[in-house]
């Protein structure tokens, strides 16, 4: 059994106004995950004291780090990361399309790694989608297309995770759910919301998987610390990968 956690950490800024990467690391460590996908990390930014938050959290957890800056302002970076205890390699890290006037939209990106899980290579794509409906839909189409997971081996375990800024009734969610399975919905009769952390009522953070992954359990992490460490709650999914033959028969493509 393995565990993947997705968590929008809002530059490690808690609901109490304090910036504390160590607190984020403590929330994550309490879940003992093998794979961690984080969104909204600051690296070397003046607003958060110039700290490399991605490196700080990864070192606190003893995990291998992959980071992709969706935004660059001179030497200041802001973006997403995947951290793992499993042997891994970077497959791709790039921007996602932004329809309309670019200056009005926050740059968005995605990070794809391949990690050894259960004796197989598991493909993990971490992303943080835009705030506007059309923007999200264009970005989802890009992620599903040949430049991203459309090029993945159909028989390989694959998951798309992150803050999609999309509730289940949205067009972006429905589009990706036609291709992949919502792990939280599979494992829980009533999936719990992830935002805002103090009194959550929106399910914005997701883990989608293909047929090569069996979902065993999924839930949000609702502790006193997680409710204050960020404005999102983490989502934890326990899973196992299927055998090669079963995977080839059950994969979605």
């Amino acid at each position: 059994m393995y565990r993947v956690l997705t968590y929008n950490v809002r530059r490690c800024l808690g609901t109490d106004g304090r910036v504390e990467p160590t607190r984020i690391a403590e929330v994550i460590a309490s879940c003992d995950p093998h794979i961690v996908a984080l969104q909204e990390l600051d690296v070397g930014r003046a607003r958060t004291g110039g700290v490399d938050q991605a490196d700080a959290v990864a070192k606190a957890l003893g995990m291998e780090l992959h980071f992709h800056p969706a935004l660059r302002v001179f030497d200041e970076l802001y973006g997403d990361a995947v951290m793992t205890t499993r042997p891994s390699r970077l497959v791709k890290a790039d921007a996602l399309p932004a329809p309309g006037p670019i200056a009005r939209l926050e740059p968005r990106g995605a990070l794809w790694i391949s990690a050894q899980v259960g004796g197989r290579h598991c493909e993990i794509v971490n992303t943080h989608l835009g705030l506007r409906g059309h923007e999200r839909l264009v970005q989802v189409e890009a992620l599903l297309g040949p430049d991203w997971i459309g090029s993945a081996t159909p028989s390989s375990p694959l998951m798309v995770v992150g803050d999609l800024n999309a509730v289940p009734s949205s067009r972006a969610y429905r589009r990706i759910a036609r291709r992949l399975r919502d792990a939280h919905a599979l494992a829980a009769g009533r999936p719990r919301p992830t935002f805002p952390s103090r009194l959550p009522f929106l399910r914005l953070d997701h883990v989608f998987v293909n047929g090569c992954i069996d979902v065993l359990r999924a839930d949000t992490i609702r502790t006193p610390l997680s409710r204050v460490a960020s404005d999102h709650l983490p989502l934890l999914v326990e899973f196992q990968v299927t055998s090669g033959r079963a995977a080839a028969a059950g994969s979605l493509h």
Side-chain angles (χ1 to χ4, degrees), residues 26-207:
E26 186 177 345
V27 171
I28 297 169
S30 70
C31 304
D32 194 24
H34 301 88
I35 301 162
V36 178
L38 302 182
Q39 304 86 42
E40 294 196 26
L41 287 159
D42 274 2
V43 170
R45 301 200 71 180
R47 68 178 183 179
T48 45
V51 173
D52 184 334
Q53 294 183 340
D55 184 66
V57 173
K59 283 182 176 175
L61 296 170
M63 289 185 164
E64 182 178 338
L65 169 66
H66 302 273
F67 174 74
H68 174 247
L71 172 67
R72 294 176 182 264
V73 182
F74 299 107
D75 293 332
E76 298 188 8
L77 308 177
Y78 169 78
D80 313 310
V82 178
M83 304 171 186
T84 179
T85 60
R86 309 300 301 161
S88 64
R89 66 177 180 88
L90 176 67
V91 177
K92 181 173 182 174
D94 206 350
L96 292 177
I102 302 297
R104 299 165 117 192
L105 300 175
E106 178 183 314
R108 305 288 175 168
L111 175 64
W112 177 357
I113 74 157
S114 181
Q116 291 185 25
V117 176
R120 307 191 66 208
H121 292 287
C122 183
E123 312 301 322
I124 302 111
V125 179
N126 176 30
T127 191
H128 182 199
L129 301 185
L131 295 175
R132 301 181 182 183
H134 178 61
E135 178 190 6
R136 288 193 298 271
L137 192 59
V138 168
Q139 290 162 353
V140 165
E141 292 292 352
L143 285 172
L144 296 176
D147 291 336
W148 286 93
I149 69 170
S151 65
T153 303
S155 59
S156 293
L158 180 145
M159 56 181 70
V160 175
V161 309
D163 176 5
L164 303 188
N165 273 314
V167 296
S169 61
S170 69
R171 292 183 300 162
Y173 174 96
R174 294 198 307 268
R175 177 66 185 91
I176 197 169
R178 290 202 297 267
R179 180 80 169 270
L180 301 168
R181 304 176 301 158
D182 180 344
H184 200 176
L186 282 173
R190 297 181 63 182
R192 298 178 187 267
T194 57
F195 179 85
S197 57
R198 285 193 179 274
L199 191 63
F201 65 94
L202 294 174
R203 193 156 74 91
L204 302 180
D205 305 88
H206 304 281
V207 173

Side-chain angles (χ1 to χ4, degrees), residues 202-252:
L202 294 174
R203 193 156 74 91
L204 302 180
D205 305 88
H206 304 281
V207 173
F208 283 95
V209 301
N210 70 357
C212 307
I213 293 174
D214 291 333
V215 178
L216 307 178
R217 188 175 74 88
D219 206 355
T220 56
I221 305 304
R222 303 176 309 280
T223 64
L225 186 60
S226 69
R227 290 186 187 276
V228 72
S230 173
D231 63 343
H232 285 245
L233 294 175
L235 172 63
L236 181 69
V237 173
E238 293 183 354
F239 70 96
Q240 61 187 16
V241 297
T242 62
S243 66
R245 180 175 297 180
S251 62
L252 300 180

